[in-house]
Amino acid sequence: MHASRPPRARGFRLPAVRLGVTGMEYRFHEIEKKWKKRWEETGAHKVREDSGKPKYYCLDMFPYPSGQGLHVGHWRGYTISDVWSRYKKLQGYEVLHPMGWDAFGLPAENYAIQTGVHPAVSTAQNIANFKRQLQEIAAMYDWDREINTSDPEYYRWTQYLFVKMFEKGLAYRKRMPINWCPSCKTGLSNEEVVDGKCDRCGSDVTKKEMEQWMLRITAYADRLLADLDRLDWPDKVKRMQANWIGRSEGARIVFDVDGHPDARIEVFTTRPDTLYGATYMVLAPEHPLVATITAPEQRQAVEAYVQETLKKSAIARQIVDKTKTGVFTGAYALHPLTGRKIPVWIADYVLMDYGTGAIMAVPAHDERDYDFALAFGLPVIRVIEPVPAEGTNEGSPAGGGAALAGGLELGAAAAEGAGTADALPYTGPGRLVNSGPFDGMDNEAAKQAIVAELAKQGRGEAAVSYRMRDWVFARQRYWGEPIPIVYCDQCGTVAVPEDQLPVRLPDVERYEPTGTGESPLAAIESFVRTTCPKCGGPARRETDTMPQWAGSSWYFLRYPDPHNNREPFSREAVNKWLPVDMYVGGVEHAVLHLLYARFFTKVIHDLGMIDFDEPFQHLFNQGMITLNGAKMSKSKGNVVNPDDIIRDYGVDVLRMYELFVGPPEEDAEWNANGLEGVSRFVNRLYRLFMAHAEHPAPPRDSLRRLRNRFLATLNERMETFRLNTAVSAFMEYVNALSAEADKGLDRETLETLAVTIAPFAPYLGEELWERLGHDYSVFESHWPEVDERWLRDEEVEIAVQVNGRVRARLKIPADASEEQALAAAAAHPEVAGWLDGKTVVKRIYVPGRLVNFVVNG
RNA sequence: GCCGGGAUGGCGGAAUUGGCAGACGCUCUGGACUUAAAAUCCAGUGGGCGCAAGCCCGUGCGGGUUCGAGUCCCGCUCUCGGCACCA
C-alpha cells in the first residue's frame, strides 16, 4: 500500500489567494472544470473528416471493462498515447484517437453464475465506470466513435466476418482433444488452465475429444512471418511472434509398415540427412494408425498407455520432468531407402498436433530420441561425424584473417576437441557415415541429396512445418458472439445469411454449463431450434460462442466508420485512416491479440475489402507501473487510485508524472515523492508564467537562444519517444527562465511554453494560452518552429585533456580553427603546468568538444 | 535448456557517431522569509585525501582495442522477460 497522505488543502482553498502582486495560486480544479466544459461545448475532440489535413491514427488497446476500475498503471499507456495524439494534432494532423470496450469475456459470465446478474447489466455498469475514469484523463477521445464488442450492432459484423471465413474454407470443424474440466463440465481454453488446474474451481484438467470450430491461421503462417519485416515494432515483439509461428524447414518422409500394405507412416523431420540413423519410429498416442498397426500381443499395453496419456492435460504433459515413457506397438516400419525393419513405438513425447504426429527417431543425433533409446535399450547408430572446419581458429586472440597461423594450430585443436565432439548425441554439423551411398557427404548437402532421392522414389519431399497451430475458435460459454452456423439434416452445415445477422445472444436463466460440454445456449430450446436458411426445413443452431479475441481482431477497422449499418466499414473510410500509425498497449498482447489482428487483416484484405494487409504500422509497448516491486492489482492490494491523485494534485500533474516516472517502455516504480516533485514543477511554471503574462518584456537574445535550444531539445526527445526526458526538458527550461525572470520574459517565450506544454498538460496549456489573450483553443495553434540560427554559439566551452584527463575548461570562438584551438589550449595556465617538461606526441581536437594532449616523459 | 533485455550516486533516472559521467527529479544538510510552522526562495549533496588550491578513485566483475570506453570486442556474475519434448 502506498503511504497514505493527509488530504491537501491546496485544491480546496476557495478564495483567490493573491501571492503578492505577481502571481496567483494554480487552482487546477477550477481550470479543469472550465476547460472540460469548453471542450464539450465546442466539440473539441470531434474528428473532422473534411479538414483536409493529413490523417494520423493513434490507437490505444481498448480495455476489458472489469469491475475493478482503473489504477494509475492503466493511466500510463493512455497518457502516452494522448500526449502523442495531441502533439500530432499541433503538428497539423487530423488525429483519430478513439476508445471502446472489449466487452465480452469470462469475468462477467462468472459474476453472472455467482450472482445471477446478467452479463449485459454488469458490463454496462463497468463500462459506465470505466468511461467516467477515462474521461478524467483529459484524453482527446472522440466518444461519438465509441465501440462495444458486445453490442449486437457490432458483433453482427464479427459474425459476418466469420461467415466470410467459413465461405473461404478458413473456418472449419475438427474433432480434437481439448482441455476439459470434469468438475465444471466444460471445455476450457488454454488461458483458463493454470498450472494444469481449472482456473475456476481448481480441479485437475483433463482432455476430451470434441468437435471444435477452428480458424485456419496456419494458411497465413508464411505471410505472418515474412511481413513482420515491414513493421515498425519493438524487436522483442517481432521475435516473440516469429518464435510463436516457429517455421522449420525439413522433409516429409513416408515409411511403409511391414505386413500392413495399406498403412503408411508419414513423418516430418528437419534432419533428413540422418535418415540412415533412424533406429525406431514413434507415433503420438493419439495417432490414428495406432489402432491399425498394433500387434495383438501388444494391444493391451498400448491401449493402457493411450488411456493414461489422454488423462493428462496438455499442460501436465509438458511440465513433467521429461522422463521418457512409451510402449512398443509390435509393428515394424520399413526404411524407405534400405528396407531395414524399424520398430514402431508410441510415446507421449511426440505430439499429435505438430508435424504429422509421427517421427523417425535418430538417437545418435537427437537428445530426446537418445534419452528414449537409452531408457528402452534401442540401438543407436551414428551417421554424422564432426569434421573440424578448416580456416577457423577460435583459440587465436588475433581473430579472423590469420588463416595460416590457424592452420598450424589445427592439429592440436582437433585432437583436443575430438573427445567431446565424439560424444552422443551429437547435434552439430559434420560428414555422413554409415549412410550407404551418401557416406562422406557434408550433412547440409546430404539433406538436399537424400530428399531428392526420396522424391525420385515417391517416398518423400521437402516440407515446411510450423509450430503455430490452427486457432481453436469455439468456447462453450454464454457471454460471447454466437457462432452464426446452422446444422440441417438435409443441407449439412450452413452459414447464417448476411441479412439474418446478427444471431442475437438470447437471455438465459442460468449461466452454468449444461453438463454435456455444451454452452448454456444449448439449453435454450427457442434458440437452438430454427429453420435451415437453405431448404427451410428444421435445423439446429450452433451453440458455441467465439473466444474473447474475436471482437478485438478487427475493432480498429470499425472506428473510422463506427455507425455503418450496411457493412462492417466502408472501404473508403478504412483505406483513408488505416493502417494505424501508432498503436499503444501492453506487451502482454505481443502474441495472441496482435497475431490474431494481423491474421484478420490479411484475410479481410484477401476478401478484397481493404487495400492494406498489415493493421499496425508502429507499435509501442509501455512498461507497467509497479508498487513495492509488483504489478498493481486489487487482489494484491497495491493499487494507487487515480481518483485520489487527481483530487490532490490535478489531472495535468498526474499526466506529467506518468511520463516523468521513467522511460516509457520500461517498468517503473510508483513514487509519491516523484509525484510531489512534478507538482512543484507545474506550480513553479504556472507562477512564473502568470508573473509575466500581463506585461511581457521585449524580446532579447538570451531568451531567443534559450527558447530555440529548448525547442530543439524537446523536438528530439519527442521524436525519439523519450517522453520522460521531454518532461525534464521543460524543467530545465523553466529553471533557466527563472534565472532570467528578473529582466522579464517576452511574449514568444510565453507562447512557446503554453503551446508545448499543452500535449502534456492540456488544461494548463489551454489556460496559459487564453491568458495571453487568445480566444481559440491552444490545440488550434501550431507547434513552434526552431530557428536554427539561435542554436549556434559564438563561443563554446571545450575541455582540455592531458593524457585523457580533464585539466581545464576553456572558452574559444565556435568557429576557431584546429590550430587556434590547440594554441589556446596549450596556452592555458592550468594546462601549461601539465605539459611542462613533457613531450607532446599527439594532439587531438574534437570541434566544440575537447582538446587532448598526449604526452610522455 | 534455447532466445532476448538489463546492471550508472542514498533513490528514480540522464549522457548524438566512442569525446567534460551523474542532466532532471527525489532525499538529506545549511541558509533566507516567518512570532512559529507550512509553502516558497538560495546554496550544497558519488567516494576518498586535503585548511585550501587541488589530487586520486569511480558506470556489475575480469581482460582487450583506443589519444580517449557507461558506450566497441572477448570471457564471466547476477537479474528480469519470452519459449520450452515442436522432431
Side-chain angles (χ1 to χ4, degrees), chain A residues 453 763 854:
Chain A
E453 179 59 30
Y763 293 124
V854 184

Side-chain angles (χ1 to χ4, degrees), chain A residues 615-672:
Chain A
F616 314 123
Q617 187 51 45
H618 193 129
L619 173 70
F620 182 81
N621 294 128
Q622 83 278 9
M624 334 178 268
I625 299 279
T626 60
L627 188 60
N628 306 323
K631 179 186 168 84
M632 284 189 184
S633 78
K634 267 252 167 81
S635 57
K636 285 196 210 106
N638 66 335
V639 293
V640 176
N641 186 337
D643 297 348
D644 297 340
I645 306 297
I646 293 167
R647 184 192 62 225
D648 296 344
Y649 294 94
V651 171
D652 288 337
V653 167
L654 178 52
R655 285 172 61 108
M656 293 202 84
Y657 178 65
E658 293 276 352
L659 302 176
F660 188 67
V661 69
E665 68 281 4
E666 284 174 31
D667 292 350
E669 174 76 7
W670 180 264
N671 180 341

